[in-house]
Amino acid sequence: MNTPATPLVAVMMGSKSDWDTMRHASETLARFDVPHECRVLSAHRTPHETAEYVSGAEERGIEVIIAAAGGAAHLAGVCAAHTVLPVLGVPMESVALKGLDSLLSTVQMPGGIPVGTLAIGKPGAINAALLAVAILAASRPGLREKLRQFRKDQAAKVLGETLP
Ligand code: RP5
């Protein structure tokens, strides 16, 4: 039986309703064979469990945390308060304000506790994963090579586009 690899990235989201967007982060990490785990944990609905999970992340081998939330989106900031691991925030597109509320809640951290904030919604989910890969690749040459190849493939695809 294969033992599952120790997760290097934690993908957290405030609600299961965020999964349709955040699955793109998980799929991107999987494309680079980065072991990761995905959890629904909320800054306001499960505050104690969130703090406990993040506080223990470093000891469990996690190197990057991705935290997605919508509305009054304080999940990434709360996570960052409980760890010195890099925290990447992904603002979810909300119904009421199309994610502007989530973006401002995530990005406007007062100085001292950083959250690296990505774009609203799916592009942010993909880029959070790619940035996590880049962070991990700083000490993993094989992963850095995969990232270079990804960029090359992406460029080739754009250059090969034809229009009707
Ligand atoms: C946030 O509230 C979640 O991250 C989600 O984006 C938003 C709405 O959550 P649900 O009411 O759909 O569970 O905490």
Side-chain angles (χ1 to χ4, degrees), residues 78-133:
V78 166
C79 289
H82 287 285
T83 183
V84 295
L85 293 174
V87 175
L88 307 179
V90 186
M92 294 293 92
E93 185 174 331
S94 56
V95 176
L97 297 174
K98 294 278 171 219
L100 185 58
D101 44 356
S102 323
L103 172 65
L104 296 179
S105 306
T106 306
V107 79
Q108 285 295 83
M109 284 297 288
I113 305 290
V115 168
T117 304
L118 286 301
I120 297 168
K122 180 180 168 184
I126 292 168
N127 282 346
L130 290 174
L131 196 49
V133 170

